[in-house]
Amino acid sequence: MKSFVWGLLAVSALLFSPSILAADCGARESVTQRVLCYAELAVAAEEVAPCDAAEDVRVRDQCYGVFAVQTGRPAACRAIPGNDQRPVSLRQICLSDVAIVSGEPALCGEVTDSNLRDTCYLKLRRDTGDPGLCERIAEPALRSLCKR
């Protein structure tokens, strides 16, 4: 579900005009609209700095994630600030999403949550057809499913 949200945010970001100013982003009604607005600015600038202009940490952190998925830059995932549960989880989800979008299994290996990591490998197996990815799945039942 969370991967779907990142993907939805990434695809939806394409709908906004590139001439948006950061001040305009903060005035958007919904969190999703603000995330997409800041993310568009970041993608256009080819750096996450516009994400930092968001006053709401939820918007800022999700902006980093959308930027990472759209540009294929996992460093943006790793740069999500904070060490409490929310940013740590967002970093993990972001890395998994970038791995799937970019087809980079090494990024799945960086995911410390075993369920998310296994799912990342499973999705990459589905997308790439590489049966060797199944061997990286820790959960036996999921590994068996992967090999089918």
Side-chain angles (χ1 to χ4, degrees), residues 11-142:
V11 170
S12 299
L14 299 174
L15 301 176
F16 290 93
S17 164
S19 62
I20 298 168
L21 301 174
D24 295 333
C25 295
R28 301 291 169 106
E29 284 187 35
S30 74
V31 169
T32 300
Q33 290 173 337
R34 290 191 302 272
V35 168
L36 295 174
C37 183
Y38 284 112
E40 180 187 356
L41 292 173
V43 168
E46 298 184 13
E47 64 178 3
V48 294
C51 296
D52 294 327
E55 292 181 20
D56 184 331
V57 295
R58 298 172 305 163
V59 171
R60 180 201 62 210
D61 295 349
Q62 290 180 27
C63 177
Y64 275 73
V66 172
F67 173 85
V69 170
Q70 284 192 352
T71 62
R73 294 184 187 170
C77 300
R78 296 179 198 108
I80 295 172
N83 289 318
D84 61 352
Q85 182 61 35
R86 189 190 55 76
V88 168
S89 293
L90 284 174
R91 282 193 292 271
Q92 299 294 298
I93 293 164
C94 182
L95 284 169
S96 175
D97 289 348
V98 173
I100 294 163
V101 169
S102 66
E104 292 293 331
L107 294 175
C108 294
E110 289 185 41
V111 175
T112 58
D113 178 277
S114 62
N115 292 328
L116 188 58
R117 182 179 55 247
D118 285 352
T119 302
C120 182
Y121 285 130
L122 182 65
K123 288 179 179 178
L124 276 179
R125 162 66 166 107
R126 176 200 63 203
D127 294 348
T128 67
D130 180 358
L133 294 170
C134 298
E135 297 307 318
R136 299 180 186 185
I137 296 175
E139 202 322 288
L142 197 57

